Amino acid sequence: MNLSRRHLGTLFTALALAVGAHAQPFPGKPVRIVIPFAPGGSTDANARIIQDKLSTLWGQPVIVDAKPGANTVIGTDLVAKSPADGHTLLLTSTAMVVNPSMYNKLPYDTVNDLVPITIVSVSPFALVTPVDSPYKNVKDVLATLKTANTLSFGVSDSSAMLSGHLFNMLAKTEMPAISYKGAGPLMIDLAGGHVPLGIAAVSSVQGQVKGGRVRILGVGSTTPSSLFPQAPVIANDLPGYEAISWFGLLAPKGTPPDVVQKIYRDVAQVLKDPDVQQKIQGLGADPGGLTPADFQARIKREIDLWGRVAKAAKIQPE
């Protein structure tokens, strides 16, 4: 087939424009970080801590957009179905890896429809009790449960509930969960001695602990909490126990790998900023920074773990 010079010129121009469009550096417009919770909570706080630093680094506005509802499903689905160019991101919590065990059918595939970028912050779950409780450590709780299953644990979300059932599964106990509509009401009941135990992220219990109304019996990390280094590690008395609350950043499936890597590197850089670290620690958490590959491995591992815990606890998905 013969092509005229004019046609060749048109073809080369179109190819150049296509290559130029593909090579356009990220970000080329404002970046939206969707949080699948109402404003004012921990997820919102994590997003706003990195918001201004990323905006300065990228030279583009970074907008935090709350899309709450259905235990994070609404906001997560929105991002999963957004253009895969890195300009719409999801900042979500551990609820992401718990939901596959809580719902029969989600409108997205948790593993395949979202690309992990990095974890922004981590905070271990803690087993807590009223300060005047007879339980001084995890061993006391285990000893009581061996003689009589008279204890229960309060929780304010599904992640904490499964963390409690992980305790049950490993200890071969059957403590029931008591659900609260928020960490605040749970802490009030704990401080008042109306519930013997509670499970919540260290970031949620720090106020009552520092106020001397609630005592930490143990933390769910494999190493001591930086906020409460004197608190024992639960796994010391219950081998295999690990329950961590995290907040992580993800992008829609199909986001170019170079864009994912750039966002990861830039967020990791922001998380090393002393001001950012101080603000995250002020939430009762530690800065994250996992690589995309390590974050993806954690997501898969935790989906499997919480699925086994939910099955052992006979939790029926909705």
Side-chain angles (χ1 to χ4, degrees):
M1 179 176 66
N2 294 323
L3 292 173
S4 68
R5 289 183 179 180
R6 180 170 60 84
H7 288 147
L8 282 171
T10 301
L11 177 61
F12 288 145
T13 299
L15 286 171
L17 288 172
V19 171
H22 178 73
Q24 184 178 9
F26 169 88
K29 59 183 179 181
V31 176
R32 178 169 62 148
I33 298 179
V34 174
I35 59 168
F37 294 94
S42 297
T43 316
D44 185 50
N46 274 265
R48 295 190 185 281
I49 285 173
I50 63 173
Q51 176 185 22
D52 289 343
K53 300 287 185 181
L54 286 176
S55 180
T56 299
L57 197 59
W58 289 341
Q60 291 283 355
V62 175
I63 302 159
V64 177
D65 188 8
K67 297 293 182 183
N71 196 27
T72 77
V73 172
I74 290 175
T76 303
D77 187 46
L78 184 155
V79 175
K81 292 177 171 59
S82 292
D85 57 9
H87 292 92
T88 300
L89 304 173
L90 175 73
L91 203 163
T92 190
S93 74
T94 323
M96 175 186 174
V97 291
V98 167
N99 279 345
S101 302
M102 308 302 290
Y103 295 95
N104 280 313
K105 187 173 177 61
L106 292 168
Y108 52 85
D109 185 310
T110 305
V111 172
N112 296 315
D113 287 348
L114 293 158
V115 179
I117 298 175
T118 192
I119 285 179
V120 174
S121 73
V122 293
S123 179
F125 281 102
L127 179 66
V128 293
T129 193
V131 73
D132 57 357
S133 157
Y135 310 109
K136 306 301 180 186
N137 49 51
V138 173
K139 287 181 180 178
D140 287 346
V141 173
L142 292 172
T144 298
L145 291 170
K146 280 183 179 180
T147 57
N149 196 43
T150 57
L151 298 178
S152 59
F153 61 94
V155 296
S156 62
D157 58 54
S158 55
S159 300
M161 180 180 67
L162 287 184
S163 297
H165 286 307
L166 173 62
F167 189 102
N168 278 335
M169 187 175 80
L170 295 174
K172 296 179 171 56
T173 54
E174 296 181 353
M175 286 190 294
I178 301 173
S179 295
Y180 286 80
K181 292 184 177 180
L186 168 59
M187 289 301 110
I188 291 172
D189 263 17
L190 266 170
H194 302 300
V195 61
L197 301 170
I199 294 179
V202 165
S203 54
S204 296
V205 307
Q206 61 173 329
Q208 294 287 355
V209 173
K210 290 179 178 178
R213 294 176 289 276
V214 169
R215 181 171 62 250
I216 295 181
L217 299 178
V219 294
S221 48
T222 56
T223 57
S225 161
S226 62
L227 190 65
F228 297 105
Q230 75 284 2
V233 172
I234 293 174
N236 289 344
D237 297 309
L238 191 62
Y241 188 88
E242 183 180 4
I244 304 292
S245 171
W246 50 256
F247 295 93
L249 199 63
L250 302 100
K253 176 184 70 175
T255 301
D258 58 328
V259 172
V260 171
Q261 285 297 321
K262 175 174 175 52
I263 298 171
Y264 159 66
R265 289 193 302 269
D266 290 346
V267 173
Q269 177 181 332
V270 166
L271 292 175
K272 292 176 182 176
D273 185 289
D275 179 55
V276 169
Q277 292 187 342
Q278 184 178 23
K279 287 178 179 177
I280 288 176
Q281 288 163 356
L283 297 176
D286 290 312
L290 277 186
T291 66
D294 287 342
F295 188 17
Q296 183 178 48
R298 174 180 279 276
I299 287 171
K300 290 180 178 178
R301 184 172 67 249
E302 292 189 358
I303 288 174
D304 176 69
L305 170 64
W306 299 128
R308 288 187 284 113
V309 171
K311 186 176 180 180
K314 297 181 173 58
I315 294 173
Q316 296 297 322
E318 297 179 3

